[in-house]
Amino acid sequence: WLDSLYIIPVDSNDWEKESSLMSSVYGGSTVNIAAPGAEDGTIGCLFERYFSSRCRIQISRQGQHQLYECFPRDIYGIEVTRMPLMNRGWALQERVLPPRTLQFTKTQVYWECHQLSANETFPRGSSLLCRGTYYSGFTKIPISLFMWPWIVQHYSGCKLAFGEDKLSAVSGLAREFASSDE
């Protein structure tokens, strides 16, 4: 479901109807496919990979050669959370509500679900990708009330193409929290 394909922007009735369904579309999905590095919906999700956050170095000591894999300590922040999609207000629902997300970044593919956060560098997962809470890194967990302060803080820093969308863009998330079991 792509909002740019399913919502007619000049038709206010269509916009009101379809935008109100976004939270149920993302919350009821099996998997969400995202392109965090794309500036907008015209870019797509397959990027030319000109660089990688991963490198190998060889260290020699006393005639012993050891090969090490190196990568940034904040690999998730660099490759996912600081990308353009994560700064868009409407995309916050896409990030939080689906139980699984496949993220195509400019350097590698990420998989996130309630059981595992993994990428091409760490196909079996890593604590660098899954830090345990929404507050320090991103862990895909079912909706719960303790997440609300993080949602409000993150949403407050997001951008919207139209200022009048502020309440609409967060209302779907608010409905999901109101109907959660906690």
Side-chain angles (χ1 to χ4, degrees), residues 1 8 42 52 73 92 103 135 144 146 158 164 173:
W1 189 82
I8 303 166
T42 65
S52 172
R73 172 175 270 178
L92 190 56
Q103 303 219 43
Y135 305 105
S144 65
F146 88 90
C158 287
E164 61 270 16
L173 284 168

Side-chain angles (χ1 to χ4, degrees), residues 74-144:
D74 187 20
I75 191 170
Y76 189 86
I78 293 166
E79 295 183 351
V80 179
T81 60
R82 294 186 200 133
M83 291 293 109
L85 181 66
M86 301 307 171
N87 293 318
R88 294 180 48 220
W90 279 103
L92 190 56
Q93 295 179 88
E94 297 177 45
R95 186 174 180 199
V96 175
L97 297 175
R100 293 163 207 85
T101 302
L102 190 58
Q103 303 219 43
F104 289 86
T105 74
K106 291 184 176 182
T107 58
Q108 61 185 318
V109 178
Y110 281 76
W111 169 259
E112 299 168 335
C113 67
H114 295 159
Q115 290 78 33
L116 177 72
S117 290
N119 64 11
E120 293 173 57
T121 303
F122 300 105
R124 291 185 176 91
S126 168
S127 62
L128 294 172
L129 304 176
C130 180
R131 307 244 174 105
T133 70
Y134 260 72
Y135 305 105
S136 58
F138 181 76
T139 301
K140 185 72 92 168
I141 58 175
I143 292 290
S144 65

Side-chain angles (χ1 to χ4, degrees), residues 163-176:
E164 61 270 16
D165 287 356
K166 277 187 179 184
L167 291 177
S168 299
V170 78
S171 67
L173 284 168
R175 274 193 308 275
E176 292 296 320

Side-chain angles (χ1 to χ4, degrees), residues 21-105:
L21 299 174
M22 287 176 73
S23 63
S24 60
V25 167
Y26 290 117
S29 69
T30 299
V31 64
N32 182 49
I33 298 172
E39 296 292 331
D40 59 42
T42 65
I43 305 297
C45 63
L46 300 176
F47 300 99
E48 290 288 330
R49 294 183 178 183
Y50 298 110
F51 68 93
S52 172
S53 296
R54 178 181 180 183
C55 69
R56 291 183 178 166
I57 60 171
Q58 181 175 319
I59 298 179
S60 300
R61 186 172 174 206
Q62 299 175 346
Q64 300 279 333
H65 303 291
Q66 186 71 40
L67 191 62
Y68 290 92
E69 297 274 340
C70 300
F71 48 86
R73 172 175 270 178
D74 187 20
I75 191 170
Y76 189 86
I78 293 166
E79 295 183 351
V80 179
T81 60
R82 294 186 200 133
M83 291 293 109
L85 181 66
M86 301 307 171
N87 293 318
R88 294 180 48 220
W90 279 103
L92 190 56
Q93 295 179 88
E94 297 177 45
R95 186 174 180 199
V96 175
L97 297 175
R100 293 163 207 85
T101 302
L102 190 58
Q103 303 219 43
F104 289 86
T105 74

